[in-house]
Amino acid sequence: YFLNDYYKKRSAKIFGMEKNVVIENPLLRSGLLFTGSNQTLKGLTPGHHQDDGILTAYEAMNMDLHSTDLVVLSACETALGEEMNGEGVLGLQRSFQIAGAKNIIMSLWAVSDEGTQKLMSLFYKKLVEINDIPEAFRQAQLELKKQYPSPFFWGAFILLQSK
């Protein structure tokens, strides 16, 4: 998720956090929803030692992913974030990069479920064959482009490589 219209929320809390805190930090307005998040979104507090089901970009940024070669964010609009002067885009992609992930695949817009499934299957197949993330990704996109000439299906996904 990425909340760019957070100011429209009428409640005092957003995802269980104080609205004012979320408004000030774009890394709290983007993240991933997992099992249990539906309870948190309903305002129910998770039990002792239970996860709230929400991984914010802020939390992701604090993970140690320096041994991680690849993070794939294959859902819609996972590259979104808030542009900050002098900082670039703050969102999920930036958090995983700060956490140490060497390569991040993400999408720029709402994607086709079928196209995404085919692209990811092609990518992982190529990755196993050639063991080169950028080249496997390039080849997968080119192969999918033969089936779906429109960039809508294969162009949404980009690969960000950290140095």
Side-chain angles (χ1 to χ4, degrees):
Y1 66 88
F2 175 68
L3 302 174
N4 59 357
D5 58 352
Y6 55 87
Y7 56 88
K8 294 179 182 177
K9 303 281 183 198
R10 296 188 188 273
S11 63
K13 291 193 175 201
I14 300 174
F15 291 167
M17 297 176 283
E18 295 298 322
K19 183 177 179 177
N20 292 339
V21 174
V22 174
I23 288 171
E24 292 175 17
N25 190 342
L27 295 175
L28 294 174
R29 292 196 309 272
S30 106
L32 300 170
L33 301 177
F34 295 104
T35 300
S37 62
N38 58 340
Q39 297 298 313
T40 303
L41 296 176
K42 290 177 185 175
L44 303 174
T45 306
H48 188 64
H49 298 297
Q50 269 190 305
D51 194 309
D52 65 1
I54 300 173
L55 176 69
T56 65
Y58 182 82
E59 291 169 317
M61 175 182 71
N62 290 298
M63 295 168 45
D64 181 4
L65 300 178
H66 289 88
S67 297
T68 304
D69 289 328
L70 176 64
V71 170
V72 177
L73 302 170
S74 65
C76 296
E77 302 176 329
T78 51
L80 294 185
E82 184 172 318
E83 291 182 45
M84 302 290 286
N85 288 337
E87 293 292 327
V89 177
L90 296 181
L92 271 177
Q93 82 290 355
R94 180 67 165 277
S95 295
F96 283 111
Q97 189 176 28
I98 290 169
K102 293 171 187 67
N103 296 281
I104 305 164
I105 293 176
M106 59 199 150
S107 68
L108 296 168
W109 58 77
V111 293
S112 151
D113 289 342
E114 183 180 333
T116 299
Q117 184 273 325
K118 288 181 179 184
L119 177 65
M120 293 303 146
S121 293
L122 287 167
F123 168 67
Y124 288 118
K125 180 181 175 191
K126 297 287 185 186
L127 185 57
V128 168
E129 289 173 8
I130 63 176
N131 196 30
D132 181 315
I133 292 169
E135 184 59 21
F137 184 66
R138 187 183 77 77
Q139 287 183 23
Q141 282 187 308
L142 289 173
E143 195 166 322
L144 188 66
K145 186 178 176 183
K146 292 175 189 173
Q147 283 183 275
Y148 299 96
S150 171
F152 170 77
F153 294 96
W154 50 267
F157 287 96
I158 58 172
L159 170 65
L160 174 66
Q161 295 181 280
S162 298
K163 295 179 181 176

